Amino acid sequence: MEIKCLIIDDEPLAVNVIKNYLQKIEDIELTDTFNNAIDALNYLKHHKVDVIFLDINMPVLDGLNFIKSLKEPPLIIITSAYTEYAIETYELDVLDYLVKPFEFPRFMNALNKVYRRMNITQPSSEAATTRPYLFIKIDKKKMKKVFLDEILVVESLKDYLKINTTNGRFLIHSTLSDFTNLLPSTDFIRIHRSYTISINKIDAVEGNSIEIDGMRYVIGRSYLEEVKDKILNSSI
């Protein structure tokens, strides 16, 4: 399924940055760009989009009032140089808030939220059977689709992560906290400062360690109580 996007920003440089980022990703269609919210409102009267990348400080109609004017807003990702509007935008149910200038990995975090939200909320039968996935950047030019049900263990290696899956291992530039926040807490849990694991892929639990795919991973002392509550207490 192709995701239709719209950019509303009065800064040409900011528009170009988002355009370049979107060009790196499959299944994304940039339908149009606008340098003011009024023209965008007129466009939306006749066209439907899935996601809007929206600046806040714009002439005539700012981004916040633009959102309030929409009866059925699509997913909104704020792109602003100012942080002071964050609380108000979350009250308007925006999906994410990107503070300019933002790098591509942070942009992908926001887009992965789009994938997750659309998989969950889309009412069609196709969406109901869609396997949830993330796109990860494995080199300068290549994005890799990783299905969540294939992830075994995510391991922190200082500034990098090693993602162990049933179809191979991938190294990406990210923190374990940021990546774990992208994963559904019903299926994944952090068990150590260096490990996040798939609950469904656990083969055995022994003492303060977990076995997955023939490998044993220690449960950190500060995580032990939460892990026991979530995993061990559900056993029979």
Side-chain angles (χ1 to χ4, degrees), residues 189-195 197 202 204-211 216-229 231-232:
I189 187 170
R190 189 166 179 175
I191 65 167
H192 190 277
R193 64 181 182 180
S194 297
Y195 303 114
I197 60 99
I202 296 175
V205 179
E206 183 178 351
N208 66 337
S209 66
I210 285 174
E211 183 179 326
R216 192 165 291 278
Y217 301 91
V218 175
I219 304 172
R221 184 175 301 176
S222 61
Y223 298 88
L224 193 57
E225 183 177 352
E226 181 184 357
V227 172
K228 285 184 175 180
D229 286 345
I231 300 175
L232 301 184

Side-chain angles (χ1 to χ4, degrees), residues 42-129:
N42 291 328
Y43 176 87
L44 290 172
K45 290 178 182 178
H46 307 287
H47 302 84
K48 184 177 180 180
V49 300
D50 301 303
V51 185
I52 297 177
F53 295 94
L54 177 67
D55 190 18
I56 292 180
N57 290 328
M58 291 183 292
V60 185
L61 181 67
D62 63 41
L64 298 180
N65 285 307
F66 168 80
I67 298 173
K68 295 174 184 177
S69 70
L70 299 174
K71 292 183 179 180
E72 296 181 4
L75 299 178
I76 305 288
I77 296 176
I78 296 295
T79 59
S80 174
Y82 305 93
T83 60
E84 59 263 33
Y85 303 106
I87 294 177
E88 185 173 357
T89 57
Y90 280 121
E91 291 174 350
L92 294 172
D93 196 32
V94 303
L95 186 65
D96 208 343
Y97 195 109
L98 300 181
V99 180
K100 299 173 182 176
F102 46 86
E103 301 294 331
F104 185 70
R106 179 65 183 88
F107 181 81
M108 273 308 305
N109 284 349
L111 206 55
N112 278 324
K113 291 181 182 181
V114 172
Y115 295 133
R116 287 172 57 188
R117 180 72 68 88
M118 292 185 68
N119 284 337
I120 293 170
T121 61
Q122 243 186 342
S124 68
S125 58
E126 177 186 356
T129 59

Side-chain angles (χ1 to χ4, degrees), residues 131-219:
R131 293 169 64 195
Y133 59 86
L134 297 174
F135 276 101
I136 61 174
K137 187 179 182 182
I138 58 176
D139 59 39
K140 291 183 178 181
K141 296 183 179 180
K142 187 173 182 180
M143 300 295 298
K144 172 71 176 177
K145 179 190 285 186
V146 175
F147 291 101
L148 300 192
D149 60 12
E150 294 178 350
I151 296 176
L152 301 170
V153 178
V154 183
E155 180 179 354
S156 175
L157 303 171
K158 292 186 177 180
D159 295 332
Y160 291 85
L161 295 181
K162 181 168 66 174
I163 303 175
N164 300 309
T165 77
T166 55
N167 285 325
R169 298 176 179 177
F170 308 100
L171 196 66
I172 68 169
H173 184 74
S174 182
T175 67
L176 187 58
S177 294
D178 285 346
F179 192 81
T180 301
N181 287 337
L182 295 175
L183 302 172
S185 59
T186 53
D187 300 319
F188 294 87
I189 187 170
R190 189 166 179 175
I191 65 167
H192 190 277
R193 64 181 182 180
S194 297
Y195 303 114
T196 291
I197 60 99
S198 168
I199 298 172
N200 297 324
K201 296 297 191 296
I202 296 175
D203 295 318
V205 179
E206 183 178 351
N208 66 337
S209 66
I210 285 174
E211 183 179 326
I212 297 178
D213 197 33
M215 298 293 293
R216 192 165 291 278
Y217 301 91
V218 175
I219 304 172

